[in-house]
Amino acid sequence: MTWYVLQHKPNQGDRAVEHLQNQDVACFYPKIEVEKIKNGKRAKKLEPLFPGYIFFKMDPSDPSWAKLRSTRGVLRVVAFSNKPSPIEDSVITQIKRGMQAIAEQGGIKPGQPVNIEDGPFKGLNAIFQTYDGETRAIVLIEFMQSQQRVRVPVSAIKR
């Protein structure tokens, strides 16, 4: 069996995967957890690594190819010269390894240097200590020849 890529309809990736799996098609729809700051609060959300695309594994001689185009959520199979373009197994393996490394890395970790980009401490370098609720973080800044613990909005710090 070989890996291929299909394009799904806008905002219907999960739906397409569900219907493909109901047809016994092996799918790989890589998603990563992304931390964003919305309205001054930290929010984690799963987003597709390749928006609009799903990897699937199928035998080139499988009669199910005809069903793919009519599967709910599927737009088309990615093809060149009307021939589906195969993906090497090593590419999929590398993507899975990369996703695992990203998942292990996580967000800002204690001890990491950060820059303060807003507020009264704007422009100062700091060392991240911990989150203080949903909207604030505690950082160490160098001030008057010693390190001071300061609470700042999460939206004001950047790695």
Side-chain angles (χ1 to χ4, degrees):
M1 297 227 288
T2 309
W3 286 101
Y4 297 94
V5 180
L6 61 80
Q7 187 176 12
H8 63 77
K9 294 178 181 174
N11 302 319
Q12 293 191 26
D14 293 324
R15 180 183 196 186
V17 168
E18 178 184 342
H19 287 279
L20 288 165
Q21 288 174 339
N22 288 342
Q23 297 173 34
D24 294 324
V25 176
C27 296
F28 176 50
Y29 188 42
K31 290 184 174 184
I32 56 172
E33 190 173 72
V34 178
E35 186 176 294
K36 293 186 176 183
I37 298 173
K38 188 174 182 179
N39 298 330
K41 293 187 177 186
R42 288 182 301 126
K44 291 184 179 183
K45 183 180 176 186
L46 276 179
E47 291 186 358
L49 187 60
F50 301 101
Y53 297 94
I54 299 170
F55 298 96
F56 69 98
K57 198 171 194 176
M58 188 176 275
D59 191 336
S61 62
D62 193 326
S64 299
W65 279 92
K67 292 184 201 176
L68 287 178
R69 280 182 281 128
S70 60
T71 300
R72 289 178 184 234
V74 173
L75 189 61
R76 67 182 183 91
V77 174
V78 175
F80 298 98
S81 301
N82 291 328
K83 184 178 179 189
S85 182
I87 305 290
E88 296 289 328
D89 285 339
S90 62
V91 173
I92 301 297
T93 303
Q94 189 62 34
I95 292 170
K96 288 180 180 181
R97 279 192 201 129
M99 286 181 53
Q100 185 175 0
I102 289 170
E104 291 169 359
Q105 187 179 25
I108 301 173
K109 297 204 180 328
Q112 278 188 321
V114 294
N115 296 323
I116 302 176
E117 297 187 345
D118 196 18
F121 303 107
K122 181 178 180 177
L124 293 178
N125 293 325
I127 298 173
F128 180 80
Q129 292 293 290
T130 186
Y131 289 107
D132 185 23
E134 288 293 314
T135 62
R136 303 191 66 76
I138 298 174
V139 297
L140 291 177
I141 61 169
E142 191 73 33
F143 184 71
M144 295 181 69
Q145 300 176 350
S146 67
Q147 289 187 339
Q148 303 292 323
R149 287 174 59 111
V150 178
R151 285 181 172 80
V152 295
V154 172
S155 59
I157 61 173
K158 301 286 183 235
R159 273 199 258 188

